[in-house]
């Protein structure tokens, strides 16, 4: 968790408003066939975007409603996965 937190802090210092932490949706990527190469590719891509200043540009170009709707969609997917993976006896 420390590495995830530090990665998020470094990304924020370079203008990224999305966290770089590992989230609950990771099993979805594995189910789709993602392996180590997927993580390495994402790391390289984010590093390039970070050094080029593209995160700040994307923040200015994308309207708030677009990034907000993406976050809501991802949140719904994560909620669905949480209910699928959790035994019904733990439901509220």
């Amino acid at each position: 968790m420390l590495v995830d937190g530090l990665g998020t802090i470094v990304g924020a210092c370079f203008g990224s408003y999305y966290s770089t932490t590992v989230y609950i949706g990771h099993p979805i990527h594995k189910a789709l066939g993602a392996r180590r190469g997927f993580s390495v590719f994402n790391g390289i891509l984010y590093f390039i975007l970070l050094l080029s200043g593209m995160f700040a540009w994307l923040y200015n170009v994308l309207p708030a409603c677009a990034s907000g709707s993406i976050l809501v969609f991802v949140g719904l997917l994560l909620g669905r996965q949480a209910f699928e993976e959790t035994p019904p006896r733990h439901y509220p």
Side-chain angles (χ1 to χ4, degrees):
M1 289 191 297
L2 285 173
V3 173
D4 289 337
L6 289 173
T8 300
I9 291 170
V10 170
C13 290
F14 282 95
S16 173
Y17 56 96
Y18 290 118
S19 67
T20 57
T21 58
V22 176
Y23 58 95
I24 195 171
H26 180 72
I28 294 172
H29 297 140
K30 292 192 125 208
L32 293 173
R35 301 279 187 258
R36 263 183 275 166
F38 180 75
S39 296
V40 171
F41 174 74
N42 276 316
I44 292 170
L45 179 67
Y46 278 100
F47 187 70
I48 291 169
L49 290 173
L50 185 129
L51 290 180
S52 68
M54 291 296 288
F55 281 121
W57 179 79
L58 284 172
Y59 181 76
N60 290 324
V61 171
L62 292 175
C65 61
S67 60
S69 62
I70 291 170
L71 291 176
V72 167
F73 178 72
V74 169
L76 290 172
L77 288 176
L78 296 178
R80 184 194 75 181
Q81 181 187 355
F83 275 107
E84 288 174 353
E85 299 294 327
T86 304
R89 67 178 187 271
H90 295 295
Y91 289 171

